[in-house]
Amino acid sequence: MNDWLTVELARERKAQILVEAEERRLARPVAGPSLRARMARKLFEFAVTLEREETWRAVWEDLEAPRQP
């Protein structure tokens, strides 16, 4: 009888763990973007910032270049 009780308790615990895991999985998108998504956005912002700086340098060099008649 002890073995039967142990098996039943293990089954109930496993079912409870699966329910909790499903709840966490469903709640994850509500919590916000994943770390990977946040890092991708930051890298994109960084790339845009670098490109903007490169564009500014090119414009500045054109402004500083001696004018040819």
Side-chain angles (χ1 to χ4, degrees), residues 31-51:
S34 67
L35 176 61
R36 182 177 178 170
R38 289 192 308 256
M39 290 303 296
R41 286 188 187 101
K42 289 293 182 185
L43 286 173
F44 181 75
E45 290 175 18
F46 184 64
V48 168
T49 303
L50 284 178
E51 182 63 31

Side-chain angles (χ1 to χ4, degrees), residues 2-18:
N2 192 16
D3 290 333
W4 174 82
L5 182 59
T6 304
V7 170
E8 284 300 311
L9 290 174
R11 283 184 186 156
E12 288 178 12
R13 180 66 183 138
K14 182 178 177 183
Q16 182 182 2
I17 289 171
L18 290 174

Side-chain angles (χ1 to χ4, degrees), residues 26-68:
L26 292 174
R28 187 176 305 139
V30 175
S34 67
L35 176 61
R36 182 177 178 170
R38 289 192 308 256
M39 290 303 296
R41 286 188 187 101
K42 289 293 182 185
L43 286 173
F44 181 75
E45 290 175 18
F46 184 64
V48 168
T49 303
L50 284 178
E51 182 63 31
R52 196 175 296 154
E53 188 172 319
E54 289 295 321
T55 303
W56 173 248
R57 283 186 192 148
V59 170
W60 187 256
E61 288 172 2
D62 283 345
L63 291 173
E64 292 291 315
R67 297 212 182 257
Q68 297 187 4

